[in-house]
Amino acid sequence: MKAFVFPGQGAQFPGMGKSLYEGNTEAKALFEKANEILGFRITDIMFEGTEEELKQTRVTQPAIFLHSVILAKTTPDFAPDMVAGHSLGEFSALVANGTLAFEDGLKLVYQRAMAMQEACEINPSTMAAILGLADEKVEEICAEITDEIVVAANYNCPGQLVISGSNKGIEIACEKMKAAGAKRALPLPVGGAFHSPLMEPAREKLQKAIESTQFNTPICPVYQNVSTTAVSDVNEIKKNLIAQLTAPVKWTQSVQNMVKDGATQFVECGPGKVLQGLVKKIHPEAEVAGL
């Protein structure tokens, strides 16, 4: 069985999507439609912008979404048996499996980006990657820090967990992780504490937008970050999508469940190769490829 997986923030690179735009008339039309919906030429930033310009959340999220979704939409015989996306990638996955229309997906992603940007400004916060420590140990250390917010945010693969929280909390946690034997405790260049309680203001805004958007019955199940299991029920998809902003991304568990349900081939759809690497670490026997 073939699983299509969609990357999240961090996969962007200058020039992303340019060859797709130039080499496919359908792709070009979709990119131009996106420029119209967003009210600015995101394609100019994607194709010609600097890394710095691409790193702004309001640009990064729709840029990665567009690259992923347009790639899926212009791939002949695109027929996934199951889909999943890492954080932001979940929105791409939901367009790819027919739950969301292209326009609605893009509007939600842009609203999500703006709401997250605002939440970051309200609560200056950050994230850090912890390498070489058991998940349980990372969770235990986060729980010990009670006067600051620090939580496990991204379960990327065994031995690689990202934590999220207040600047001070992350600083304290990184010292404790190193003392406990982590190979590395590395602050990440992100705008805020994604997938933590500090994203609550963004979650509330996004909830309203999600609830007023049309969701359709998908052509195949999505394995969501919050539940990690196959979901096809529209109401459940909505509920998990709303919870996603303040809940951890359980990528390791999602991939394990996809394998358990018969996935043998994982195709990464979008910029970069990050997910192919993570899938290989989670399940070395899996066949991985990129579109």
Side-chain angles (χ1 to χ4, degrees):
M1 285 175 90
K2 197 183 271 194
F4 280 82
V5 292
F6 298 82
Q9 209 156 333
Q12 71 278 6
F13 63 89
M16 61 189 285
K18 192 176 182 183
S19 55
L20 188 59
Y21 179 96
E22 290 172 349
N24 186 302
T25 49
E26 191 191 344
K28 185 176 181 175
L30 286 167
F31 274 119
E32 286 301 342
K33 188 184 240 183
N35 287 333
E36 219 172 283
I37 290 168
L38 294 172
F40 68 96
R41 290 194 63 79
I42 192 167
T43 49
D44 291 354
I45 307 173
M46 289 170 73
F47 307 161
E48 317 295 339
T50 62
E51 261 178 54
E52 211 43 54
E53 289 171 304
L54 266 177
K55 238 172 33 190
Q56 305 166 53
T57 296
R58 74 176 195 101
V59 174
T60 314
Q61 294 197 20
I64 291 168
F65 167 86
L66 288 171
H67 193 177
S68 300
V69 165
I70 293 173
L71 202 51
K73 280 190 166 294
T74 55
T75 295
D77 310 320
F78 179 79
D81 295 305
M82 51 182 86
V83 294
H86 190 287
S87 186
L88 156 76
E90 196 163 280
F91 288 81
S92 311
L94 289 171
V95 174
N97 80 348
T99 307
L100 286 169
F102 172 76
E103 298 84 343
D104 290 336
L106 177 58
K107 285 175 191 165
L108 284 179
V109 163
Y110 192 57
Q111 283 170 295
R112 178 185 193 264
M114 299 304 273
M116 284 168 84
Q117 188 103 38
E118 270 176 48
C120 295
E121 283 157 18
I122 297 165
N123 296 307
S125 51
T126 192
M127 300 173 88
I130 311 301
L131 307 182
L133 212 54
D135 291 357
E136 296 72 28
K137 190 69 194 164
V138 175
E139 291 165 348
E140 192 185 301
I141 292 170
C142 288
E144 283 168 9
I145 302 167
T146 50
D147 44 357
E148 292 288 337
I149 289 177
V150 189
V151 295
N154 296 353
Y155 292 78
N156 285 335
C157 67
Q160 188 189 324
L161 212 164
V162 175
I163 59 172
S164 193
S166 64
N167 290 338
K168 183 78 180 144
I170 293 293
E171 201 182 305
I172 296 165
C174 282
E175 288 311 311
K176 285 180 177 278
M177 301 287 178
K178 283 180 203 158
K183 279 193 198 134
R184 294 179 84 179
L186 200 67
L188 297 175
V190 293
F194 305 145
H195 302 288
S196 83
L198 292 167
M199 282 293 119
E200 183 55 33
R203 191 196 67 78
E204 285 169 14
K205 280 194 171 164
L206 195 63
Q207 177 168 358
K208 287 194 183 92
I210 287 171
E211 280 169 353
S212 60
T213 300
Q214 165 78 35
F215 277 59
N216 310 304
T217 305
I219 56 164
C220 69
V222 58
Y223 286 68
Q224 289 183 278
N225 296 173
V226 170
S227 66
T228 78
T229 52
V231 186
S232 293
D233 177 75
V234 172
N235 292 325
E236 203 182 326
I237 289 173
K238 275 191 180 185
K239 191 181 83 203
N240 290 337
L241 204 54
I242 291 164
Q244 195 220 58
L245 270 187
T246 51
V249 172
K250 295 180 177 173
W251 188 251
T252 302
Q253 300 88 328
S254 300
V255 172
Q256 285 166 341
N257 283 330
M258 290 166 102
V259 169
K260 206 164 68 190
D261 292 347
T264 51
Q265 193 184 2
F266 286 80
V267 182
E268 183 164 10
C269 190
K273 292 182 174 179
V274 172
L275 298 184
Q276 293 172 60
L278 295 182
V279 168
K280 269 296 194 196
K281 284 181 181 146
I282 297 164
H283 188 69
E285 295 80 53
E287 197 186 311
V288 299
L291 267 190

